[in-house]
Amino acid sequence: MNQPFIVNISADWYAIMERKRMNLFVIPTVLLTSVTLLVNPILSLCILCFPLLRQENRYLLLANMLFTDMLFLAINLAMVSCNSMGLYMPHWLCEFMKLSMVMTYSTSVLTITLMVVDTYVAVRWPLRYKEILPPSRARKIIMSLWVMAAVCPVSLLVMFEVVMGKDKQSRPVCLVLIALHSLEQKMKVGIHFYFIIVVSLCTALIVYCYIHLYIITKTSGIWRSRYSRARMTLLAHTLLLMMYFVPALVFAVELALLKRTLDDVGVWINLVNMCVLMLLPRCCTPYLYILRYREIYKTFQHVLWKKRHQSQRSAA
């Protein structure tokens, strides 16, 4: 396997996109990214600037997820836009974007898993919760999440550079999928299995925590009402978790399909995944937490009112 293979498959990929007018997928990408970035910065500011929210682990984890999602959305929008126009970006820029995209997506998945674990610990050991997970320890855990999330893409980048050798030609399409496919062709290893294993482990941990949470709280009466707050919160969080994890499984399917042949269906699945499925949970997350948590909702209202009052005073 050599560099011309990557250039050829990238050229074929862009030809299919142009022939089938699939570059129009940039429109939902721009819309969903814009809707999310309207709220995420303000919500992150609410958490980080108000001590009462900043001292709670669940809000620290939420702020980390919002920040990670903002980075992911910016990188994804840049990548989709460049690919839709067939821009030959510099090799180092393409590698940086691919590494950043995998790292931010992995951090989001690990953070949302840790949020479930944090809820489980708070309910399972309520009197010792502050001792087990103080805010200082939560910050260290968040930093370790970033390190863990960086290990996989950095190792893949090193292997990819070794496979490429010194020939580093620009390509019309910059995609993590094509880079991993080139590694699979060279190493004869099913890299998509690693994505399935990681998602399966995180899912198993989340299911375990939710089952034990139900067992612990079923005698408290919070599940008796069909439309209780606990039941609705569990349903909303379950849907959100599914939306975060499904794109990783779809990506594994894409890798498996690309091993057979490159066709219109494979390109279409990749664009739906990148431009819609990966963005939907990030679009829903800030609005869900604003509606479900009173502290965030009141702080969010306060920040908006303060900004509006300042703008009116400056205009006057």
Side-chain angles (χ1 to χ4, degrees):
M1 174 105 108
N2 50 25
Q3 179 66 9
F5 170 82
I6 303 175
V7 175
N8 290 336
I9 194 172
S10 299
D12 293 342
W13 190 284
Y14 179 70
I16 293 174
M17 285 178 56
E18 200 171 33
R19 186 175 67 250
K20 298 294 183 178
R21 307 283 293 179
M22 294 183 187
N23 46 15
L24 294 177
F25 270 100
V26 73
I27 296 175
T29 306
V30 172
L31 291 176
L32 290 172
T33 301
S34 301
V35 169
T36 308
L37 294 181
L38 282 174
V39 181
N40 268 23
I42 302 175
L43 189 54
S44 301
L45 187 69
C46 291
I47 296 172
L48 297 177
C49 293
F50 287 83
L52 289 177
L53 298 181
R54 197 169 61 242
Q55 291 303 313
E56 292 199 37
N57 292 339
R58 55 177 176 170
Y59 296 137
L60 280 176
L61 292 169
L62 176 60
N64 182 65
M65 190 167 69
L66 294 173
F67 175 71
T68 306
D69 287 350
M70 285 190 287
L71 290 179
F72 177 87
L73 289 169
I75 297 165
N76 183 72
L77 179 60
M79 185 176 287
V80 171
S81 301
C82 292
N83 290 343
S84 65
M85 294 183 288
L87 294 180
Y88 284 77
M89 66 177 67
H91 170 77
W92 65 268
L93 180 59
C94 178
E95 298 307 308
F96 172 76
M97 291 175 67
K98 289 188 293 187
L99 185 147
S100 302
M101 194 169 183
V102 176
M103 185 174 70
T104 50
Y105 187 89
S106 302
T107 305
S108 294
V109 170
L110 292 174
T111 301
I112 200 168
T113 303
L114 188 59
M115 290 173 75
V116 177
V117 175
D118 174 71
T119 304
Y120 170 74
V121 174
V123 175
R124 181 67 178 83
W125 298 284
L127 299 179
R128 296 181 54 205
Y129 173 70
K130 290 295 183 182
E131 178 186 348
I132 297 172
L133 282 176
S136 58
R137 186 171 296 170
R139 294 186 187 96
K140 294 176 182 177
I141 292 174
I142 290 172
M143 293 175 62
S144 66
L145 285 183
W146 282 91
V147 174
M148 290 173 57
V151 170
C152 176
V154 169
S155 59
L156 289 174
L157 177 63
V158 171
M159 288 189 290
F160 185 67
E161 291 295 318
V162 172
V163 169
M164 286 182 59
K166 297 181 179 179
D167 194 1
K168 300 177 181 179
Q169 300 178 30
S170 298
R171 305 181 291 278
V173 174
C174 177
L175 282 175
V176 177
L177 181 67
I178 294 177
L180 294 183
H181 174 61
S182 67
L183 282 178
E184 285 195 341
Q185 292 292 104
K186 176 67 176 180
M187 301 172 63
K188 307 299 181 183
V189 176
I191 297 177
H192 59 282
F193 287 116
Y194 292 104
F195 291 95
I196 296 175
I197 291 171
V198 171
V199 171
S200 300
L201 288 175
C202 291
T203 304
L205 179 59
I206 289 171
V207 171
Y208 172 84
C209 290
Y210 272 142
I211 290 175
H212 278 257
L213 281 173
Y214 176 75
I215 294 172
I216 294 168
T217 59
K218 68 178 180 180
T219 57
S220 63
I222 63 174
W223 304 102
R224 290 176 184 173
S225 174
R226 186 175 182 180
Y227 300 104
S228 65
R229 182 178 177 84
R231 194 181 293 272
M232 291 297 102
T233 300
L234 177 62
L235 177 61
H237 285 182
T238 302
L239 291 175
L240 191 63
L241 287 167
M242 288 178 60
M243 288 194 293
Y244 265 99
F245 284 96
V246 164
L249 297 177
V250 174
F251 184 80
V253 173
E254 292 175 39
L255 268 175
L257 291 175
L258 193 56
K259 290 176 67 175
R260 299 181 179 181
T261 183
L262 173 62
D263 55 11
D264 299 359
V265 176
V267 177
W268 185 84
I269 293 175
N270 176 261
L271 288 171
V272 170
N273 199 24
M274 283 187 65
C275 302
V276 180
L277 296 182
M278 288 185 178
L279 307 188
L280 278 177
R282 290 162 175 83
C283 182
C284 296
T285 296
Y287 298 98
L288 171 66
Y289 280 93
I290 288 173
L291 293 174
R292 298 303 299 175
Y293 290 100
R294 297 185 184 94
E295 299 91 342
I296 291 182
Y297 178 72
K298 291 178 181 178
T299 308
F300 187 77
Q301 273 190 325
H302 175 73
V303 171
L304 288 182
W305 179 86
K306 191 175 180 180
K307 285 188 174 183
R308 187 180 304 171
H309 185 66
Q310 288 177 348
S311 62
Q312 287 176 353
R313 287 182 61 184
S314 61

